[in-house]
Each structure stands twice: as C-alpha cells, then as structure tokens.
Amino acid sequence: MKKAEQIFRDKLAYPDGAILEMTIWKVPQPVRGSDHGLKYSLFYGYAGRRLVAYDNEPGKGDHRHYGEREEVYQFVSVEVLLADFLADVERCRGGK
C-alpha cells in the first residue's frame, strides 16, 4: 500500500515568539470528509496557543480555525489554500 508523501513543509519563527508551520502531504486516498488527495496542517500561533490553523482531519474534512471560531473551509487548490492561510495570519498579526 502506498504511503503519504510530504510535498511541502515550511516553518518560520517570528521575533515575537510566534510560530508559523505549514505541512502538506499527498495521500493515496482522500482524508475522510475531503474530496481531494491531500492532507494538510497549517498552524500559526504560540506554544500552546493556536491563533490561526487550517487542516483536514478525518471526519471533519477541510476546515479552518481563526481565534475561537471553527468553520468549514472550501478547498480549491494548494495555491489558494496557502494564500488564504497567509492572509489570515497577516490579519491576525495586525496587517491589512
């Protein structure tokens, strides 16, 4: 049986102690609740404190966390996923 293959990983530590970590895997079968062949975990926050996160865990499918809110996320492509996540991180950090 084919295994998951990591296709993207990036991690950044901000001077204020915040962490941004993005990992995307190509999976042999869609994660339960998603209709594409990727598993992803995008995180922004501090140790023990999530501020923004996008992921697709089995059963929940594609969704995002922004502060205390959790909502369904409509996955379009990897490029849109990363752009949406980074835009939310920028807003959270006080940007646009």
Side-chain angles (χ1 to χ4, degrees):
M1 180 170 194
K2 244 181 139 177
K3 292 184 179 182
E5 173 191 352
Q6 185 175 298
I7 60 171
F8 178 78
R9 181 169 173 80
D10 198 13
K11 186 173 183 177
L12 173 67
Y14 290 89
D16 65 359
I19 300 163
L20 183 139
E21 189 166 5
M22 304 178 288
T23 309
I24 303 173
W25 300 268
K26 183 175 182 182
V27 292
Q29 294 181 275
V31 171
R32 190 166 37 91
S34 297
D35 62 1
H36 52 81
L38 299 173
K39 168 79 178 118
Y40 57 89
S41 175
L42 312 178
F43 171 87
Y44 169 75
Y46 298 87
R49 187 168 152 229
R50 174 182 63 204
L51 298 175
V52 179
Y54 285 49
D55 64 291
N56 61 335
E57 64 185 75
K60 281 191 172 183
D62 303 289
H63 63 283
R64 77 177 194 139
H65 305 263
Y66 192 93
E68 296 299 313
R69 282 192 335 252
E70 180 179 325
E71 56 196 29
V72 171
Y73 175 74
Q74 184 61 50
F75 180 88
V76 176
S77 69
V78 169
E79 294 79 14
V80 172
L81 172 72
L82 294 175
D84 289 347
F85 172 69
L86 292 172
D88 277 351
V89 169
E90 181 68 21
R91 268 192 295 282
C92 187
R93 289 190 61 80
K96 34 182 170 161

